[in-house]
Amino acid sequence: MDVELSGTKRALVLAAGELFAEQGVGNASVRTIAEQAGANIAAVNYHFGSKENLYREALEFVLSHCESPLVWRLLEQTEWLATPVSQAETICALIKERSRMYLSQDLPSWYGRLIIRTMIEPTQVAEEVMRKRFVAEEHALTKLFQRLKPELSVQEARIWSLSMEGMIAIYIFGEVPILLSLGKTEYDDAFISAAEARVCQIMLSSLELPLPEWLKEML
């Protein structure tokens, strides 16, 4: 469910989130956040009480917009397990949903960078928020892989889940050097589609699932 914000509080959350993503929580000052939000420094204390609480709100806000509706729907369905082809299409759908969420311009690029920075620079607040949102979704994805391959242990299924996420996350973590090498300022649709296709190919081949015809044509 999206975290609803408006007015000065929303402006502060967006400004803080972007600065936290670029500089880290420790390096982003309250003064700079307020200036970027077009607000008074006192507004931070009024709305959040502390920079730590502002960080919590910013992370909650971003993660609420990066949740995967598909993974929860699939947990309630069995049709996708009917054939190897439907299983393959489902894995590709999950990959596409995540790549579009993190790499396209539908959401600000700093959303993904904030999530990655949170993972590599963990804090108590980050761990609390991640446990509430990210961990729950990752556990759901692990269950999907167990349904796909019942012989998998929980740990093995979790590795599949994290491997899929990791192949997409590299494009977030390495966005700056990747775009420099491409001579671009943002990932365009053609690049995202090509990246999705390669991740799909790797996952399906490793899972011994057939490549859909549309995917074969792209490779």
Side-chain angles (χ1 to χ4, degrees):
M1 182 181 296
D2 289 348
V3 175
E4 297 296 337
L5 297 172
S6 61
T8 300
K9 188 172 185 179
R10 180 184 179 87
L12 286 168
V13 164
L14 293 178
E18 185 169 7
L19 287 168
F20 291 152
E22 301 302 333
Q23 302 176 11
V25 179
N27 294 324
S29 71
V30 171
R31 180 178 297 278
T32 304
I33 292 169
E35 289 176 352
Q36 184 158 316
N40 189 286
I41 293 179
V44 174
N45 186 63
Y46 174 78
H47 286 288
F48 306 101
S50 66
K51 185 168 77 169
E52 182 179 72
N53 288 338
L54 175 53
Y55 173 52
R56 184 192 303 274
E57 290 257 11
L59 190 55
E60 284 267 17
F61 179 84
V62 167
L63 288 176
S64 76
H65 286 79
C66 294
E67 290 176 327
S68 169
L70 180 58
V71 69
W72 298 108
R73 289 203 303 269
L74 291 171
L75 280 178
E76 300 175 354
Q77 301 171 358
T78 58
E79 294 88 345
W80 65 277
L81 292 168
T83 67
V85 172
S86 62
Q87 293 170 8
E89 292 285 6
T90 296
I91 295 298
C92 288
L94 285 166
I95 291 169
K96 287 182 177 182
E97 180 187 57
R98 280 161 166 69
S99 66
R100 295 288 158 172
M101 188 182 297
Y102 292 125
L103 305 182
S104 75
Q105 298 307 304
D106 294 341
L107 293 175
S109 60
W110 63 262
Y111 280 29
R113 291 198 295 276
L114 178 61
I115 293 172
I116 294 299
R117 184 179 282 276
T118 297
M119 292 178 179
I120 63 177
E121 298 177 0
T123 65
Q124 183 176 347
V125 169
E127 290 180 5
E128 291 172 1
V129 176
M130 285 292 183
R131 187 176 298 110
K132 175 182 175 182
R133 291 187 176 273
F134 176 82
V135 173
E137 186 172 304
E138 190 278 323
H139 285 179
L141 189 56
T142 295
K143 289 180 181 178
L144 288 184
F145 276 104
Q146 283 188 293
R147 291 186 182 180
L148 179 66
K149 297 284 186 179
E151 69 274 16
L152 295 178
S153 66
V154 173
Q155 180 169 312
E156 289 169 336
R158 181 160 292 132
I159 293 298
W160 279 109
S161 167
L162 295 174
S163 295
M164 187 184 82
E165 299 276 14
M167 282 189 282
I168 299 169
I170 188 61
Y171 293 102
I172 307 169
F173 186 71
E175 181 180 18
V176 172
I178 291 173
L179 289 176
L180 284 173
S181 70
L182 295 171
K184 299 178 182 295
T185 58
E186 62 186 39
Y187 292 126
D188 57 31
D189 189 69
F191 181 84
I192 295 173
S193 294
E196 289 171 348
R198 191 60 62 189
V199 175
C200 286
Q201 179 193 30
I202 294 170
M203 288 296 297
L204 297 183
S205 296
S206 300
L207 289 165
E208 299 181 334
L209 292 173
L211 302 187
E213 290 303 317
W214 62 264
L215 180 57
K216 292 178 182 177
E217 294 175 1
M218 294 184 65
L219 298 172

